[in-house]
Amino acid sequence: MKVTLDQDRCVGSGQCVVAAPDVFHQREEDGIAVLLEESPAAELAADVQHAATVCPALAIAVEGHR
Amino acid sequence: MTTTVDRTGHDPADVSSYPMSRNGKCPFDPPPELYAHQEQGPLAKVRIWDGSTPWLVTRYADQRALLADPRVSADVARPGYPSPAPIPKGGSAISFILMDDPEHARLRRMVTAPFAIRRVEAMRPTVQKIVDDLIDDMLAGPRPVDLVEAFALPVPSLVICALLGVPYTDHDFFQANSKIIIKRDARPEDRQAALGRLVGYLDQLVGTKMTEPGDDLLSRLAARVGSGELSRMDAAQMGVLLLIAGHETTANMIALGTLALLEHPDQLTRLRAADDRALVSGAVEELLRYLHITHNGRRRVALEDIELDGQVIRAGDGIVFPNDIGNRDPEAFPHPDTLDIGRDARHHIAFGFGVHQCLGQSLARMELQVVYGTLYRRIPTLALAAPLEEIPFKHDGSVYGVHELPVTW
C-alpha cells in the first residue's frame, strides 16, 4: 500500500488524523495534513482508505489497496 | 401535452419550489419531495425565491463529486449563483465561505490551526466543565425548563466566545444579531444592519487585541493585521463568520439531537449505557447524518459545462445541493431513515464536502461528544414536558431545529 497526500489541496479538516492517527498528522501553524508514513502496515489499510474517503478536498490517494 | 419545454426537458410550470416543506408528522425527515427527486435523479430543476431555476442534485455520490469539483464555484457574486436570500446592496460576502480559491484557501488557512484535532482535544476538559456547570445549574433550578435556553445555546456560545476571545458579557448582543442574519425571511436591510453591528463590534475588538493580545483566535488574526497580511475588516468579518457558524448550528444539534433520542428510547438507553467513547462518537456521527440541520441546501454555480448521466449543467447554471437528502441515500446508508447509533455513519455529508467543508467540524464533534456523553447520564430521567405535536420546529431558518424544548426529570 502506498499513500500520497497533496498538501496544496488540503483544507485542514483533520478527518484523516481522526481516521488514521498513525499515518497522518496536522501542522501546528495551519492544520494542514502531514503524511507520517508513506507505506503503512497492512493492518492500517482500512483506516487509511477511510481517511481518503472522508477527505473533503480529495487530497489523499491510496494505491495497492482494494 | 406541454407547450414550453426548456432545454432540460422539464416543463417549467412543473418545477417545484425550493426549499420544500417537511411532512409535519416526520419532523426528523427531509421533505417528501426530496425523496421523490432522489429516486428519479440524478438532476431536476427547482424554482427559488427570485424565480430562477437552478439544478437540484440529490444523490449522495453526485453531491460529493460535484461539491469537490473545481468546475463548481461558491462565489456568491457570480451571475447564476442561486442565493438562498436576497443579496444586500453593496455586497456582504461573509468572508471566505462565499469565495473561491486561491483567496478562499489563503484566508481559511489563517484560521484552521485552532480547529486542528490536537488543539480541539486540548479544549475537551474546558468543554466538559462548561457542560457540567450548566447541568448543575439546571438541576438546581425549577422544572420544567427550556433546554434550548438553559443548555443548548449557552454551550456553544461559551465555547466559541472562549475560542475567539469574545467576552461572555457580550453574548446576548451576539445571539440577537446572529439570529437575524440566519433567519430566512429577514428583510435584507435588517440582515445587513445586524451584520454591520457584529462587524463593527469585532473590528473594535480586533483593535483591542492588537495592543493587548490574549491566547485566542482574534488575537492571532490581530497579529496578521499588524503584519499587513490581513485588513482589519477581513479579520472582523472572519470573526463574525466563525461566531455565527459555531453558535446556532451546534445549539440546534444539541436540542434536536436530544429530542430525537427521547423519541427513540431504545437508542437513548444504548447511548446512556455506553462506557466506551467510540459508541458516543459513533452516535454523534449518526445524529449528524440523520438530523442534518442545515436544511436550506448548499449553493453553487457551474464555471464550465458539466455532464452528469447524459445531462449537461451549463456554465453559469446555479446548483443546489440538499445534503439532508444525500445523507438519506440508501446507496450510501442502508435503511437510511432508521436512527441507529451503532452504524458507521462517518462518511456523512452533514458538514458539506469539498474545500468549503465546515472548518469547525472537529470542535462541533467534540462538543457534541461531551454533551451526548454527559447530559443523559447525569439526568437519566430526562423527559419531554410537552407532547411532540406542541414542540415548535424551526421551519423558517437556514438551520433546522426547535425554538424551544421543554424538558423535565
Side-chain angles (χ1 to χ4, degrees), chain A residues 7 10 26 28 30 53 56, chain B residues 64 109 112 117-118 354 357:
Chain A
Q7 285 187 326
C10 176
Q26 280 173 291
E28 268 304 308
D30 57 9
T53 300
Chain B
R64 263 181 61 114
R109 284 186 178 203
T112 41
I117 302 299
R118 203 155 62 155
Q357 193 184 51

Side-chain angles (χ1 to χ4, degrees), chain B residues 39-281:
Chain B
E39 216 176 307
Q40 288 153 18
L43 284 172
K45 284 266 183 166
V46 283
R47 191 178 310 280
I48 61 172
W49 64 276
D50 62 358
S52 67
T53 53
W55 294 99
L56 185 77
V57 177
T58 46
R59 290 181 179 167
Y60 172 85
D62 296 335
Q63 290 186 346
R64 263 181 61 114
L66 285 173
L67 284 169
D69 193 319
R71 295 173 298 174
V72 169
S73 165
D75 184 351
V76 67
R78 281 184 185 277
Y81 181 90
S83 177
I87 300 168
K89 286 191 177 62
S92 76
I94 303 180
S95 198
F96 53 86
I97 54 170
L98 302 173
M99 291 179 191
D100 289 338
D101 286 344
E103 189 60 5
H104 159 263
R106 187 183 78 86
L107 293 173
R108 178 171 168 133
R109 284 186 178 203
M110 288 184 188
V111 285
T112 41
F115 299 102
I117 302 299
R118 203 155 62 155
R119 297 276 283 278
V120 165
E121 280 307 314
M123 285 182 73
R124 192 181 283 268
T126 307
V127 174
Q128 183 70 57
K129 179 159 183 1
I130 288 171
V131 168
D132 281 329
D133 288 352
L134 287 165
I135 294 173
D136 287 343
D137 291 348
M138 252 183 4
L139 288 172
R143 59 194 163 163
V145 68
D146 174 16
L147 191 79
V148 174
E149 191 76 33
F151 186 72
L153 279 168
V155 170
S157 299
L158 285 165
V159 173
I160 202 82
C161 287
L163 185 87
L164 285 179
V166 172
Y168 188 57
T169 43
D170 296 331
H171 163 260
D172 287 344
F173 170 82
F174 272 101
Q175 182 78 356
N177 286 293
S178 72
K179 260 188 189 164
I180 296 169
I181 290 170
I182 66 165
K183 199 168 153 55
R184 189 195 287 165
D185 57 2
R187 294 186 308 163
E189 54 270 36
D190 291 345
R191 187 178 287 125
Q192 181 75 339
L195 194 61
R197 286 191 290 274
L198 283 176
V199 171
Y201 170 80
L202 281 174
D203 178 66
Q204 269 194 324
L205 195 57
V206 168
T208 309
K209 306 268 183 196
M210 286 176 76
T211 50
E212 303 160 36
D215 182 22
D216 55 60
L217 201 151
L218 276 189
S219 294
R220 262 172 244 124
L221 290 180
R224 290 184 189 263
V225 174
S227 67
E229 288 172 83
L230 202 62
S231 77
R232 207 162 129 168
M233 185 52 72
D234 282 344
Q237 287 210 341
M238 284 161 80
V240 171
L241 167 69
L242 296 175
L243 197 88
I244 294 169
H247 201 166
E248 206 97 13
T249 45
T250 313
N252 284 344
M253 273 305 299
I254 293 171
L256 194 63
T258 298
L259 180 57
L261 287 165
L262 290 172
E263 291 296 307
H264 295 81
D266 54 327
Q267 301 297 313
L268 180 55
T269 304
R270 220 168 140 194
L271 177 62
R272 201 187 285 121
D275 47 13
D276 80 298
R277 212 155 103 179
L279 184 62
V280 175
S281 58

Side-chain angles (χ1 to χ4, degrees), chain A residues 7-15 17-19 25-32 50 53-58, chain B residues 60 64 68 104 108-109 112-113 115-119 224 344 346-347 353-355 357-359 361-362 365:
Chain A
Q7 285 187 326
D8 290 338
R9 298 181 79 157
C10 176
V11 294
S13 81
Q15 293 314 293
V17 179
V18 176
H25 183 69
Q26 280 173 291
R27 289 200 300 233
E28 268 304 308
E29 66 271 27
D30 57 9
I32 296 304
H50 185 73
T53 300
V54 295
C55 173
L58 307 178
Chain B
Y60 172 85
R64 263 181 61 114
H104 159 263
R108 178 171 168 133
R109 284 186 178 203
T112 41
F115 299 102
I117 302 299
R118 203 155 62 155
R119 297 276 283 278
R224 290 184 189 263
D344 184 357
R346 293 176 299 167
H347 54 299
F353 202 69
V355 297
Q357 193 184 51
C358 178
L359 173 69
Q361 59 179 295
S362 300
R365 285 185 161 103

Side-chain angles (χ1 to χ4, degrees), chain B residues 323-357:
Chain B
N323 289 152
D324 44 352
I325 198 67
N327 274 338
R328 299 295 186 99
D329 187 337
E331 296 286 323
F333 305 96
H335 308 291
D337 296 325
T338 303
L339 176 69
D340 172 7
I341 63 166
R343 79 159 81 217
D344 184 357
R346 293 176 299 167
H347 54 299
H348 68 75
I349 44 176
F351 291 114
F353 202 69
V355 297
H356 291 279
Q357 193 184 51

Side-chain angles (χ1 to χ4, degrees), chain B residues 373-388:
Chain B
T374 306
L375 180 62
Y376 320 119
R377 283 173 176 234
R378 289 210 45 206
I379 316 183
T381 56
L382 190 76
L384 273 186
L388 181 64

